[in-house]
Amino acid sequence: MAEQKLRVTLITGRTIDQGVGKELGKGSDKYFDSVAVCFLDPSDIKKLGLKSGMNVQVTSKYGSVVVKAKKYTHGAIPGMIFMPCGLWANIICSADTDSIGMPTFRGFTVEVEPAPNKPVLTLDELLKQEFGK
């Protein structure tokens, strides 16, 4: 039986696809497709009963966002989730810098759960939802 939620450790970082998309513009489809995603170990995708490309909700104590789940193909990362840098990852990261000048972008617990009936919001929709603009 598939698990309803999975607690994993979040890691964010830059990717080549995210960089290319950013050069094309943050409103471009390429940027959206490269950052409104999370990468999970195939064993964790199986635990959640997902298929690559399905929507998932990622929730931390700082926020919650819906993104596309994809299989991580660069090695084994069970118990971890990777999200490319961008607004979708920023929604669930802490803005607090703990006096070091850098927000917390990695190494904290999030929950991942299937969200087949929830849409992945566009950049404009997410900005409006989070900031009213």
Side-chain angles (χ1 to χ4, degrees):
M1 181 173 172
E3 294 184 35
Q4 299 267 321
K5 292 183 182 179
L6 189 62
R7 291 175 59 85
V8 294
T9 300
L10 174 70
I11 305 294
T12 68
R14 303 270 177 218
T15 68
I16 291 173
D17 288 339
Q18 175 253 347
V20 170
K22 189 175 172 186
E23 289 299 316
L24 294 172
K26 290 187 177 183
S28 70
D29 288 342
K30 176 74 173 168
Y31 183 74
F32 176 81
D33 292 341
S34 67
V35 295
V37 299
C38 68
F39 294 90
L40 294 152
D41 189 80
S43 65
D44 290 335
I45 286 180
K46 186 176 180 179
K47 284 179 189 175
L48 288 168
L50 300 172
K51 290 187 168 112
S52 191
M54 291 178 74
N55 290 2
V56 293
Q57 186 160 350
V58 182
T59 304
S60 73
K61 64 182 180 179
Y62 311 111
S64 187
V65 69
V66 176
V67 293
K68 295 280 182 198
K70 293 189 177 184
K71 289 181 184 177
Y72 189 75
T73 59
H74 303 289
I77 60 165
M80 295 175 67
I81 180 177
F82 176 81
M83 289 183 71
C85 292
L87 182 60
W88 292 264
N90 290 351
I91 294 298
I92 58 172
C93 292
S94 172
D96 189 8
T97 65
D98 294 318
S99 300
I100 63 169
M102 188 66 150
T104 304
F105 289 120
R106 56 184 58 95
F108 59 91
T109 302
V110 297
E111 288 186 336
V112 181
E113 62 187 304
N117 299 319
K118 294 182 180 179
V120 177
L121 299 180
T122 66
L123 181 65
D124 289 342
E125 291 168 335
L126 196 53
L127 285 168
K128 186 170 182 118
Q129 173 186 291
E130 294 298 315
F131 307 106
K133 298 179 181 183

